[in-house]
Amino acid sequence: MTSNPLLAGLYAITPDWNDTRRLLNATEAILDAGCRVLQYRNKQTSDYHRQEQAVALRGLTSRFGAHLIINDDVDLALFCDADGVHLGEDDGQLAAARARLDASGPAKILGASCYQSLPLALAAARAGADYLAFGSFFASPTKPQAKRADPTLIAAAKSQTGLPVCAIGGITLDNAASLITAGADLLAVISALYDAPDPHRAALEFILLFQETHKESA
């Protein structure tokens, strides 16, 4: 388990944009607003282009002191010296990924998609995951057919593993507060950031929502 305090708050996930300049401009705005966790995810481009984009994003996150997590690809994470990798159920063995990350040098982060399953989360924790992701909590344009997760999973997973929990799936400024109140440490957001007219303002509003919700529940 990582104790890194940056594993909290807004967790930006990149869309499948092949326009690298557009991607970097939007991401820079999001990081400039204060987002400190970024996941690079692009399922629709070549391996070479993914390497190019990942290296460019590594430069951005280093400049802003943010974590860069690579989606579903340990090789790419090691290639660009990312801070970690996030794996889904069909993206390889978590324990094997943990071993490769640990052998690569300084501590790396391993995230695991647990969908709607507490047993899957418990297994991921045993395999060395540093945070657990559940979803989809709401209708998502990225995965419109995804099953819904119950918000009670958040507190259950935290109490049984002690790991940070990430909520994902259709999260907007209108529905995010309920997940923060339920105990989500991280909110993974794609469309509500990258498709916003002003990604900087959208990111800032999510960050302020975290602060306000925590203040109200204190």
Side-chain angles (χ1 to χ4, degrees), residues 21 40 52 57 59 75 94 111 118 135 150 160-161 174 178 188 200:
R21 179 175 293 182
Y40 173 58
E52 181 182 64
L57 289 170
D75 289 335
L94 288 169
L118 183 58
D150 189 324
Q160 294 189 44
T161 68
D174 293 330
S178 64
H200 182 278

Side-chain angles (χ1 to χ4, degrees), residues 10 12 15 17 22-35 173 189-207:
L10 178 62
W17 287 356
R22 180 188 180 200
L23 176 67
L24 294 177
N25 286 342
T27 301
E28 182 172 13
I30 291 165
L31 295 175
D32 186 61
C35 176
L173 285 165
V189 183
I190 305 175
S191 300
L193 288 175
Y194 282 91
D195 290 341
D198 184 344
H200 182 278
R201 178 169 181 172
L204 185 59
E205 288 177 341
F206 271 106
I207 292 166

Side-chain angles (χ1 to χ4, degrees), residues 12-71:
I13 300 183
T14 64
D16 293 322
W17 287 356
N18 288 336
D19 185 337
T20 301
R21 179 175 293 182
R22 180 188 180 200
L23 176 67
L24 294 177
N25 286 342
T27 301
E28 182 172 13
I30 291 165
L31 295 175
D32 186 61
C35 176
R36 290 297 174 262
V37 191
L38 175 75
Q39 182 182 130
Y40 173 58
R41 180 185 185 278
N42 191 334
K43 302 287 191 179
Q44 298 180 5
T45 192
S46 67
D47 289 345
Y48 177 80
H49 196 201
R50 292 177 73 239
Q51 289 178 350
E52 181 182 64
Q53 289 188 331
V55 169
L57 289 170
R58 169 74 284 182
L60 266 184
T61 53
S62 294
R63 177 152 63 90
F64 283 97
H67 283 324
L68 175 65
I69 309 295
I70 302 297
N71 178 267

Side-chain angles (χ1 to χ4, degrees), residues 3-218:
S3 60
N4 197 309
L6 291 184
L7 279 181
L10 178 62
Y11 186 174
I13 300 183
T14 64
D16 293 322
W17 287 356
N18 288 336
D19 185 337
T20 301
R21 179 175 293 182
R22 180 188 180 200
L23 176 67
L24 294 177
N25 286 342
T27 301
E28 182 172 13
I30 291 165
L31 295 175
D32 186 61
C35 176
R36 290 297 174 262
V37 191
L38 175 75
Q39 182 182 130
Y40 173 58
R41 180 185 185 278
N42 191 334
K43 302 287 191 179
Q44 298 180 5
T45 192
S46 67
D47 289 345
Y48 177 80
H49 196 201
R50 292 177 73 239
Q51 289 178 350
E52 181 182 64
Q53 289 188 331
V55 169
L57 289 170
R58 169 74 284 182
L60 266 184
T61 53
S62 294
R63 177 152 63 90
F64 283 97
H67 283 324
L68 175 65
I69 309 295
I70 302 297
N71 178 267
D72 295 352
D73 193 333
V74 177
D75 289 335
L76 181 58
L78 297 178
F79 175 82
C80 70
D81 193 28
D83 297 291
V85 67
H86 182 97
L87 297 181
E89 189 174 20
D90 300 320
D91 300 318
Q93 294 293 325
L94 288 169
R98 176 79 277 164
R100 289 191 65 193
L101 293 175
D102 289 348
S104 69
K108 302 283 188 183
I109 297 164
L110 177 61
S113 291
C114 304
Y115 308 99
Q116 306 86 36
S117 172
L118 183 58
L120 199 59
L122 298 177
R126 290 193 297 270
D130 293 301
Y131 71 87
L132 310 168
F134 293 100
S136 176
F137 285 96
F138 307 103
S140 167
T142 304
K143 295 184 178 181
Q145 305 304 319
K147 295 180 180 179
R148 297 288 183 271
D150 189 324
T152 59
L153 282 169
I154 297 172
K158 290 178 68 171
S159 67
Q160 294 189 44
T161 68
L163 295 177
V165 168
C166 174
I168 190 170
I171 296 173
T172 68
L173 285 165
D174 293 330
N175 60 34
S178 64
L179 297 175
I180 300 171
T181 300
D185 301 282
L186 294 148
L187 294 183
V189 183
I190 305 175
S191 300
L193 288 175
Y194 282 91
D195 290 341
D198 184 344
H200 182 278
R201 178 169 181 172
L204 185 59
E205 288 177 341
F206 271 106
I207 292 166
L208 291 174
L209 182 65
F210 259 100
Q211 296 172 353
E212 292 167 0
T213 305
H214 285 152
K215 186 181 299 182
E216 290 172 2
S217 60

